[in-house]
Amino acid sequence: MHRTALHRLTGLATALIGTALAGTAQAELIIEDAWARATPPGFSKGAVYLEIRNDSRRSDTLVGVHTERAGRAELHRTIEEGGNSRMVHTPRVRVPAEGSVTFEPGGRHVMMMGIDEALTEGERFSLELEAETAGTLRVNVEVLAPTAMGVD
């Protein structure tokens, strides 16, 4: 075989192996138990709670969220300061390698603003989380009772 052709073939094989190995290193995010509380009529805000698990050896970062159920959705966190709690926008949420992040009442959550119609118990809607490595992750959110504290 001609030396130039052999060099090109070796380069192509190396590139293919590198691509295959890079694919196995991607973060594998799994979303579980996505839920929201029903909201009263006329109330334009709501929150979504869920569990994100990363089964890979590579961390990933959430960088955005979207749902057609609200005019705007953001990643938020509730923090305590001087006996008062307040919510802050957290544009990036790291999901550690072989770890998880919990979005729960009183902590991290997806804040929905500009809800036109009340979230009603028994309703389901779609939510999309955007991760740097895993890409767009779609999940169905179940709306529970206004007093719910999680999925049973």
Side-chain angles (χ1 to χ4, degrees):
M1 184 177 271
H2 194 263
R3 187 174 214 143
T4 305
L6 181 60
H7 182 68
R8 286 183 186 159
L9 191 58
T10 303
L12 178 60
T14 302
L16 289 172
I17 291 169
T19 302
L21 291 175
T24 61
Q26 284 209 346
E28 299 169 14
L29 302 183
I30 298 161
I31 302 171
E32 299 176 317
D33 299 331
W35 64 281
R37 289 186 180 123
T39 59
F43 197 72
S44 65
K45 295 180 183 173
V48 175
Y49 309 103
L50 47 89
E51 177 83 18
I52 302 175
R53 195 176 76 234
N54 184 353
D55 288 344
S56 79
R57 293 183 185 157
R58 182 176 179 185
S59 67
D60 204 344
T61 302
L62 298 178
V63 294
V65 61
H66 177 274
T67 180
E68 291 188 8
R69 197 58 180 82
R72 192 167 94 218
E74 296 178 348
L75 301 168
H76 273 217
R77 182 173 164 185
T78 303
I79 58 172
E80 298 284 331
E81 287 182 341
N84 296 315
S85 63
R86 64 184 177 97
M87 290 182 286
V88 293
H89 176 223
T90 53
R92 300 174 60 83
V93 176
R94 186 174 170 273
V95 184
E98 298 177 339
S100 64
V101 175
T102 301
F103 286 60
E104 61 189 349
R108 291 194 182 281
H109 56 279
V110 173
M111 189 71 199
M112 299 189 316
M113 296 158 279
I115 297 172
D116 289 334
E117 294 181 31
L119 300 177
T120 57
E121 187 174 349
E123 172 188 354
R124 289 185 174 272
F125 63 90
S126 180
L127 180 79
E128 294 180 352
L129 293 163
E130 189 67 34
E132 284 183 340
T133 302
T136 301
L137 306 163
R138 290 176 183 82
V139 64
N140 284 319
V141 177
E142 180 181 4
V143 179
L144 304 178
T147 57
M149 288 304 290
V151 177
D152 292 331

